[in-house]
Amino acid sequence: MYVVMANDCIGEEVEKLAAALPEGGVLLLENVRFYKEEEKNDPEFAKKLASVADLYVNDAFGTAHRAHASTEGVTKFLKPAVAGFLMQKELDYLVGAVANPKKPFAAIVGGSKVSTKIGVIESLLAKVDILILGGGMIYTFYKAQGYAVGKSLVEEDKLELATSLIEKAKAKGVSLLLPTDIVVADKFAPNAESKIVPATAIPDDWMGLDIGPDAIKTFNAALDTTQTIIWNGPMGVFEFEKFAAGTDAIAKKLAELTTSKGVTTIIGGGDSVAAVEKAGLADKMSHISTGGGASLELLEGKPLPGVLALDDA
Ligand SMILES: Nc1ncnc2c1ncn2[C@@H]1O[C@H](COP(=O)(O)OP(=O)(O)OP(=O)(O)O)[C@@H](O)[C@H]1O
Ligand SMILES: O=C(O)[C@H](O)COP(=O)(O)O
C-alpha cells in the first residue's frame, strides 16, 4: 500500500501530496494540535484542513468530546461527514449498553476523586441495579458517614454530596456497595508499610490505598449476579504493585464473567483501561473504550460535539 506522510497538516506541500496520491493511497498528516487554531475550532483552519478531501470519516472517539477544528469544524466543509468503525463500536457499547442493558446491570466506579465522577455516578444511579465504589473517592463517603479516615484522600467540600448520593441510591433501590475493608499505608509510596483494616477502623496517620480482601469477596459475589458491567476508575493506587490487588481482582473477575458467562463488560477511562492492559486481560473484555473523557461524558449522558456534527447514517 502506498503511504506517505506530510510534514504539515495544511498548506502547499499537503495540497501537492494529496493531488499526487494514487488510487488507494494514504496520506498521513502531521499532528493538527501544532496549530492553536485546532483547539480554537477556527473556521478558516477547518476549511484549509477540509480543502484536500472529498468526504470526512471521524474515527477518533477519544477526542469526540472536543469541539475542535478537526472533529467539529471540518464537518461544515465536507459532506458526507460520517462515523468510522471504531467510533460506531464505541457508541454501540457505551450508549447502547447503558440505554438498554441486559439486567442485572452493575457499575463499578473508582479513581481518585468523587468530584470528577459526580456526573457519571448520578447518571448511572438512574440505570443500574448495583453500584460498587472504590479508589480514592470512598474516603469522602466514609467521612460523610462519620468514620475516621486517617490521612486518606478526602474532599471536604463533597461530604454532603456523598451523603446525598447514598440517599439517592437508597431511594432508587440501587444496591450501593462500599468496601468493608481497606489496605492502608503509612505513606504514599511504592514501598510503604501496609496492613488490612476494617473500613470503620482506619488508624490515624495511615492512608487507604486499596480495597481489602473482604471487599473483593463481596464485590465478586455481587458481580456474579449481573449480566452487564461498566467499569470506570481503578480500585486503588494500582501504579504501586503493593496496592494493585483490588484493581487486578476486579479486572480478573470481569474477564472471567465475560468468557465463562457471556456477561457484557465495558471498561472506560484511561487508568482502568491501563490496569486491564497491564493485567494482560484486555482481549477478554466485551469492550475496552479508547476514550477517557469522551467515555465519561457519554456515560454522563452528555452529547459529544464530534458525534453531533456527523450526518445521520
Ligand atoms: N485510595 C487512593 N488514594 C489516592 N489515589 C488513588 C486511590 N485509589 C486510586 N487512586 C488513583 O486514582 C487515579 C485514577 O483516577 P481517575 O479518576 O483519573 O481514573 P480513570 O477515570 O480511570 O482515568 P482517566 O481520568 O485517565 O480517564 C490513579 O492514578 C490511582 O492511583
Ligand atoms: O482530547 C484529548 O486531549 C485526548 O483525547 C484525551 O482527552 P481526555 O484526557 O479527556 O480523555
Side-chain angles (χ1 to χ4, degrees):
M1 187 195 278
Y2 179 89
V3 181
V4 61
M5 162 119 195
N7 295 311
D8 206 332
C9 60
I10 52 169
E12 223 173 278
E13 184 207 350
V14 172
E15 282 162 25
K16 273 194 193 140
L17 286 169
L21 207 59
E23 187 78 28
V26 175
L27 170 59
L28 182 65
L29 303 180
E30 181 51 282
N31 191 343
V32 287
R33 286 195 190 166
F34 286 136
Y35 284 90
K36 60 180 184 331
E37 290 88 343
E38 159 66 2
E39 294 187 32
K40 288 194 176 133
N41 198 1
D42 179 274
E44 278 310 307
F45 178 71
K47 198 172 175 184
K48 283 184 198 157
L49 277 177
S51 68
V52 289
D54 299 318
L55 56 90
Y56 174 69
V57 180
N58 186 355
D59 220 10
F61 174 72
T63 55
H65 57 321
R66 319 260 186 214
H68 289 176
S70 71
T71 62
E72 203 266 348
V74 77
T75 64
K76 303 207 167 71
F77 304 100
L78 288 172
K79 293 289 164 220
V82 295
F85 295 126
L86 171 71
M87 179 75 90
Q88 187 64 54
K89 180 171 183 254
E90 292 275 11
L91 297 175
D92 284 349
Y93 272 100
L94 291 163
V95 179
V98 174
N100 198 8
K102 281 184 288 167
K103 294 234 167 197
F105 177 25
I108 309 168
V109 183
S112 52
K113 293 177 175 174
V114 64
S115 53
T116 60
K117 303 284 164 87
I118 300 169
V120 79
I121 293 176
E122 282 186 333
S123 150
L124 287 170
L125 267 179
K127 298 176 178 120
V128 297
D129 305 293
I130 300 168
L131 177 62
I132 291 176
L133 297 183
M137 72 173 67
I138 54 180
Y139 306 96
T140 302
F141 284 84
Y142 292 148
K143 183 146 188 194
Q145 288 173 287
Y147 303 169
V149 294
K151 288 196 299 188
S152 309
L153 186 66
V154 166
E155 288 175 279
E156 294 289 344
D157 61 334
K158 295 289 176 289
L159 296 174
E160 271 174 37
L161 171 90
T163 307
S164 90
L165 289 174
I166 293 172
E167 278 162 10
K168 258 187 209 160
K170 244 184 231 152
K172 289 186 189 299
V174 173
S175 159
L176 177 85
L177 301 179
L178 282 160
T180 43
D181 61 345
I182 294 296
V183 182
V184 290
D186 62 345
K187 56 178 187 269
F188 190 87
N191 60 349
E193 285 298 316
S194 69
K195 57 184 178 182
I196 296 158
V197 298
T200 48
I202 297 176
D204 292 348
D205 289 335
W206 290 70
M207 61 182 80
L209 294 189
D210 197 8
I211 61 174
D214 278 342
I216 293 173
K217 243 185 244 164
T218 314
F219 290 179
N220 281 349
L223 294 171
D224 274 333
T225 67
T226 63
Q227 285 298 313
T228 306
I229 305 170
I230 285 201
W231 179 22
N232 177 283
M235 296 290 97
V237 182
F238 75 104
E239 296 93 337
F240 300 160
E241 211 48 55
K242 225 174 167 171
F243 307 102
T247 303
D248 283 350
I250 293 290
K252 281 201 190 91
K253 186 70 194 172
L254 265 53
E256 173 203 316
L257 288 172
T258 320
T259 41
S260 69
K261 288 174 74 184
V263 173
T264 302
T265 49
I266 301 164
I267 325 290
D271 280 306
S272 6
V273 172
V276 168
E277 280 169 353
K278 197 168 146 231
L281 296 169
D283 62 339
K284 302 273 190 304
M285 309 297 180
S286 310
H287 182 63
I288 295 262
S289 180
T290 55
S295 69
L296 265 187
E297 291 194 21
L298 256 196
L299 292 177
E300 284 171 39
K302 289 186 190 160
L304 306 184
V307 176
L308 275 190
L310 300 175
D311 303 327
D312 286 337

